[in-house]
Amino acid sequence: MVRLRRLAPAALRAVCSCGWNGPEQRLDWEEIGDQDLQTAGAGAADICMGDWDKHTVEVERSAIPLPETITVLLAQLEVEVGKLAKSSPLAAIRAARRLKGLAAQTAYWPARDARRDADPGQAAAALGLDEPGARAVLARFGRWSPYS
């Protein structure tokens, strides 16, 4: 009897839209056998999550720093909206809509100034993104086509 093996990944790895790729975590299918991938690959997935966490810390460190007052306010806002979500999900959605509007309103002129003053590489590094991602963010906030 010929046993057909299902298509299975050879490895797991964390990846980021900035272009970063974490190291491969090989999967040993001889050892895994017929186990469910979610169960059998949990250890490799945990390692990938650790790699991802380290990467995001590095990106955050390399991005342009925010003033402490802004960082504290954003953290407090995240906590408060999280609490609100538990007691009133619709109020939390309303708060998120207000935040989205505030972001669009307050980032319009800075996005236009950044487009004028920084090249795509500088903008990407400052924002912790790859160049296409930075271009898209600036275009969204500056209200121009990302293709121009």
Side-chain angles (χ1 to χ4, degrees), residues 13-144:
R13 74 168 39 177
V15 298
C16 183
S17 63
C18 76
W20 171 85
N21 290 303
E24 271 190 2
Q25 301 303 316
R26 304 287 305 162
L27 299 172
D28 182 352
W29 284 99
E30 295 299 321
E31 184 180 313
I32 292 172
D34 290 331
Q35 291 181 68
D36 177 57
L37 176 60
Q38 190 169 2
T39 302
D46 286 345
I47 293 169
C48 290
M49 288 301 296
D51 294 339
W52 169 254
D53 290 342
K54 289 177 198 164
H55 170 67
T56 58
V57 167
E58 290 170 9
V59 168
E60 186 63 27
R61 263 194 230 125
S62 69
I64 193 164
L66 294 175
E68 186 177 352
T69 55
I70 297 293
T71 302
V72 168
L73 285 170
L74 290 172
Q76 182 181 358
L77 190 56
E78 182 178 10
V79 168
E80 293 301 321
V81 172
K83 285 187 216 173
L84 184 59
K86 291 176 183 168
S87 64
S88 180
L90 290 174
I93 297 296
R94 183 166 182 235
R97 272 190 71 228
R98 296 273 314 266
L99 289 170
K100 183 178 177 183
L102 180 63
Q105 179 185 353
T106 59
Y108 176 78
W109 287 112
R112 290 185 164 269
D113 292 344
R115 182 183 192 194
R116 182 191 64 235
D117 298 341
D119 67 45
Q122 291 169 323
L127 298 173
L129 300 168
D130 63 356
E131 287 187 22
R135 229 183 331 272
V137 166
L138 292 175
R140 184 174 74 244
F141 284 126
R143 299 184 205 135
W144 66 78

